[in-house]
Amino acid sequence: MNQQDTVQREWLIKTWNEYPPEWFITLHWRTNPQKIETVRSYIKEFHRIFRRKFHWKLKGRISSRSSRIPQFPQGIGMVHFHERSDDVLEKTGKLIQPFHTHTHLSNTKGYFKTPNEVRYFINGMIQECRKKKKLENIHYLNREEDVKVWN
């Protein structure tokens, strides 16, 4: 492990000790991305939209001004890890290794009580955004293992 990895690991452990994650979310991408740059662009859009929707849901109103949304630790925290796994394309039977993303969600101040509430919030956000041609590359969270209480 190099020095940068050690520093990042220490920062992550310190942050999670102070603000423990509440939810573990697995996001699967519809395009089966093979490049990390693609996944980073997808998660950047997801992160921005989720923060905005969640903040204004807490405030009980709708606004599009992202500049007024507090950054972590005053606002919610999300740490994303991108991982590859084996998958078989249905059409061709070809083995591929697309990325998927694990998101650790923290500092929601107990807003979500159950995994179904998190799933419902994210799926509603995806559905609403697809009407505006956003978040088109993400699968709905339909499986039970897509949202778990963080452990």
Coordinates of all heavy atoms in Angstrom, one line a residue, residues 37-69:
E37 N -13.7 6.5 -16.4 CA -14.1 7.9 -16.7 C -15.6 8.0 -16.9 O -16.2 8.9 -16.5 CB -13.4 8.5 -17.9 CG -11.9 8.6 -17.7 CD -11.1 7.3 -18.0 OE1 -11.7 6.3 -18.4 OE2 -9.9 7.3 -17.6
T38 N -16.2 7.0 -17.5 CA -17.6 6.9 -17.8 C -18.3 6.8 -16.4 O -19.3 7.6 -16.2 CB -18.0 5.7 -18.7 OG1 -17.2 5.8 -19.9 CG2 -19.4 5.7 -19.0
V39 N -17.9 5.9 -15.6 CA -18.5 5.7 -14.3 C -18.4 7.0 -13.4 O -19.4 7.4 -12.8 CB -17.9 4.5 -13.5 CG1 -18.5 4.4 -12.2 CG2 -18.0 3.3 -14.4
R40 N -17.3 7.7 -13.5 CA -17.1 8.9 -12.7 C -18.1 10.0 -13.2 O -18.7 10.7 -12.4 CB -15.7 9.4 -12.8 CG -14.7 8.6 -12.0 CD -13.3 9.2 -12.1 NE -12.4 8.3 -11.4 CZ -11.2 8.1 -11.7 NH1 -10.7 8.7 -12.8 NH2 -10.4 7.4 -10.9
S41 N -18.4 10.1 -14.5 CA -19.3 11.1 -15.0 C -20.7 10.7 -14.5 O -21.5 11.6 -14.2 CB -19.2 11.2 -16.5 OG -19.7 10.1 -17.1
Y42 N -21.1 9.4 -14.5 CA -22.4 9.0 -14.1 C -22.6 9.3 -12.6 O -23.7 9.8 -12.2 CB -22.6 7.5 -14.3 CG -22.7 7.0 -15.7 CD1 -22.6 5.6 -16.0 CD2 -22.8 7.8 -16.8 CE1 -22.7 5.1 -17.3 CE2 -22.9 7.4 -18.1 CZ -22.8 6.0 -18.3 OH -22.9 5.5 -19.6
I43 N -21.6 9.0 -11.8 CA -21.8 9.2 -10.3 C -21.7 10.6 -10.0 O -22.4 11.1 -9.0 CB -20.7 8.3 -9.5 CG1 -21.2 8.1 -8.1 CG2 -19.4 9.0 -9.5 CD1 -22.5 7.2 -8.1
K44 N -21.0 11.4 -10.7 CA -21.0 12.9 -10.5 C -22.4 13.5 -10.7 O -22.9 14.2 -9.8 CB -20.0 13.6 -11.4 CG -19.9 15.0 -11.2 CD -18.9 15.6 -12.2 CE -18.7 17.1 -12.0 NZ -17.8 17.7 -12.9
E45 N -23.1 13.0 -11.7 CA -24.5 13.5 -12.0 C -25.4 13.0 -10.9 O -26.2 13.7 -10.3 CB -25.0 13.0 -13.3 CG -26.4 13.5 -13.6 CD -26.9 12.9 -15.0 OE1 -26.6 11.8 -15.3 OE2 -27.6 13.7 -15.7
F46 N -25.3 11.7 -10.5 CA -26.1 11.1 -9.4 C -25.9 11.8 -8.1 O -26.9 12.2 -7.4 CB -25.8 9.6 -9.3 CG -26.5 9.0 -8.1 CD1 -27.8 8.6 -8.2 CD2 -25.9 8.9 -6.9 CE1 -28.5 8.0 -7.1 CE2 -26.5 8.3 -5.8 CZ -27.8 7.9 -5.9
H47 N -24.7 12.1 -7.8 CA -24.3 12.7 -6.5 C -24.9 14.1 -6.4 O -25.5 14.5 -5.4 CB -22.8 12.8 -6.4 CG -22.3 13.3 -5.1 ND1 -21.8 12.5 -4.2 CD2 -22.1 14.5 -4.6 CE1 -21.4 13.2 -3.1 NE2 -21.6 14.4 -3.4
R48 N -24.8 14.9 -7.5 CA -25.3 16.3 -7.5 C -26.8 16.3 -7.4 O -27.4 17.0 -6.6 CB -24.9 16.9 -8.8 CG -25.3 18.3 -9.0 CD -24.9 18.9 -10.4 NE -25.3 18.1 -11.5 CZ -26.6 18.1 -12.0 NH1 -27.5 18.8 -11.5 NH2 -26.8 17.3 -13.1
I49 N -27.5 15.4 -8.1 CA -29.0 15.4 -8.1 C -29.5 14.9 -6.8 O -30.4 15.4 -6.2 CB -29.5 14.6 -9.3 CG1 -29.2 15.3 -10.6 CG2 -31.0 14.3 -9.1 CD1 -29.5 14.5 -11.8
F50 N -28.8 13.8 -6.2 CA -29.3 13.3 -4.9 C -29.1 14.3 -3.8 O -30.1 14.5 -3.1 CB -28.5 12.0 -4.6 CG -28.9 11.4 -3.3 CD1 -29.8 10.3 -3.4 CD2 -28.6 11.8 -2.1 CE1 -30.3 9.7 -2.3 CE2 -29.0 11.2 -0.9 CZ -29.9 10.1 -1.0
R51 N -28.0 15.0 -3.8 CA -27.8 16.0 -2.7 C -28.9 17.1 -2.8 O -29.4 17.5 -1.8 CB -26.4 16.7 -2.9 CG -25.3 15.9 -2.3 CD -23.9 16.6 -2.4 NE -24.0 17.8 -1.6 CZ -23.9 19.1 -2.1 NH1 -23.8 19.3 -3.3 NH2 -24.0 20.1 -1.2
R52 N -29.2 17.6 -4.0 CA -30.2 18.6 -4.2 C -31.5 18.1 -3.8 O -32.2 18.8 -3.0 CB -30.1 19.1 -5.6 CG -31.1 20.3 -5.8 CD -31.0 20.9 -7.2 NE -31.7 19.9 -8.1 CZ -31.2 19.5 -9.3 NH1 -30.0 20.0 -9.7 NH2 -31.8 18.7 -10.0
K53 N -31.9 17.0 -4.3 CA -33.3 16.4 -4.0 C -33.4 16.2 -2.5 O -34.5 16.5 -1.9 CB -33.5 15.1 -4.7 CG -33.7 15.3 -6.2 CD -35.1 15.6 -6.5 CE -35.3 15.7 -8.0 NZ -36.3 16.6 -8.4
F54 N -32.4 15.6 -1.9 CA -32.5 15.3 -0.5 C -32.6 16.6 0.4 O -33.4 16.7 1.3 CB -31.3 14.4 0.0 CG -31.4 14.0 1.4 CD1 -32.2 13.0 1.8 CD2 -30.6 14.7 2.4 CE1 -32.3 12.7 3.2 CE2 -30.7 14.4 3.7 CZ -31.5 13.3 4.1
H55 N -31.7 17.5 0.1 CA -31.7 18.8 0.9 C -33.1 19.5 0.8 O -33.6 19.9 1.8 CB -30.6 19.7 0.4 CG -30.6 21.0 1.1 ND1 -30.1 21.2 2.3 CD2 -31.0 22.3 0.7 CE1 -30.3 22.4 2.7 NE2 -30.8 23.1 1.7
W56 N -33.6 19.6 -0.4 CA -34.9 20.3 -0.5 C -36.1 19.5 0.0 O -37.1 20.0 0.5 CB -35.1 20.8 -1.9 CG -34.1 21.8 -2.3 CD1 -33.1 21.7 -3.2 CD2 -33.9 23.1 -1.7 NE1 -32.3 22.8 -3.2 CE2 -32.8 23.7 -2.3 CE3 -34.6 23.8 -0.6 CZ2 -32.3 25.0 -1.9 CZ3 -34.1 25.0 -0.3 CH2 -33.0 25.6 -0.9
K57 N -35.9 18.2 0.1 CA -36.9 17.3 0.7 C -36.9 17.6 2.2 O -38.0 17.7 2.8 CB -36.6 15.8 0.4 CG -37.7 14.9 0.9 CD -38.8 14.9 -0.1 CE -39.6 13.6 0.1 NZ -40.8 13.6 -0.8
L58 N -35.8 17.7 2.8 CA -35.7 18.0 4.2 C -36.3 19.4 4.5 O -36.9 19.6 5.6 CB -34.2 18.0 4.7 CG -33.5 16.7 4.9 CD1 -32.1 17.0 5.4 CD2 -34.3 15.9 6.0
K59 N -36.0 20.3 3.6 CA -36.5 21.7 3.9 C -38.0 21.8 3.5 O -38.7 22.8 3.9 CB -35.8 22.7 3.0 CG -34.3 22.8 3.4 CD -34.2 23.4 4.7 CE -32.7 23.6 5.1 NZ -32.5 24.1 6.5
G60 N -38.6 20.8 2.9 CA -40.0 20.8 2.6 C -40.4 21.8 1.4 O -41.5 22.2 1.4
R61 N -39.5 22.0 0.5 CA -39.8 22.9 -0.6 C -38.9 22.4 -1.8 O -38.0 21.6 -1.7 CB -39.6 24.3 -0.3 CG -38.2 24.6 0.2 CD -38.2 26.1 0.8 NE -36.9 26.2 1.5 CZ -36.1 27.3 1.4 NH1 -36.5 28.2 0.7 NH2 -35.0 27.3 2.1
I62 N -39.2 23.1 -2.9 CA -38.4 22.7 -4.1 C -37.7 24.0 -4.6 O -38.2 25.1 -4.6 CB -39.4 22.3 -5.3 CG1 -40.2 21.1 -4.8 CG2 -38.7 22.1 -6.6 CD1 -41.3 20.7 -5.8
S63 N -36.4 23.7 -4.9 CA -35.6 24.8 -5.4 C -34.5 24.2 -6.2 O -34.1 23.0 -6.0 CB -35.0 25.6 -4.3 OG -34.1 26.6 -4.8
S64 N -34.0 24.9 -7.2 CA -32.9 24.4 -8.0 C -31.6 25.0 -7.7 O -30.6 24.7 -8.4 CB -33.3 24.7 -9.5 OG -33.4 26.0 -9.7
R65 N -31.4 25.8 -6.7 CA -30.2 26.4 -6.4 C -29.3 25.5 -5.6 O -29.4 25.4 -4.4 CB -30.4 27.7 -5.6 CG -31.0 28.8 -6.5 CD -30.8 30.1 -5.9 NE -31.3 31.1 -6.8 CZ -31.0 32.3 -6.8 NH1 -30.1 32.7 -6.0 NH2 -31.5 33.1 -7.6
S66 N -28.3 24.9 -6.3 CA -27.4 24.0 -5.6 C -26.4 24.7 -4.7 O -25.9 24.1 -3.8 CB -26.7 23.1 -6.6 OG -27.6 22.3 -7.4
S67 N -26.2 26.0 -5.0 CA -25.2 26.7 -4.2 C -25.6 26.9 -2.7 O -24.8 27.1 -1.9 CB -25.0 28.1 -4.8 OG -26.2 28.8 -4.8
R68 N -26.9 26.7 -2.4 CA -27.4 26.9 -1.0 C -27.4 25.6 -0.3 O -27.7 25.5 0.9 CB -28.8 27.4 -1.0 CG -28.9 28.8 -1.6 CD -30.2 29.4 -1.4 NE -30.3 30.8 -2.0 CZ -31.3 31.4 -2.2 NH1 -32.5 30.9 -1.8 NH2 -31.3 32.6 -2.7
I69 N -27.0 24.5 -0.9 CA -27.0 23.2 -0.2 C -25.7 23.0 0.5 O -24.6 23.2 -0.1 CB -27.1 22.1 -1.2 CG1 -28.5 22.2 -2.0 CG2 -27.0 20.7 -0.6 CD1 -28.7 21.3 -3.1

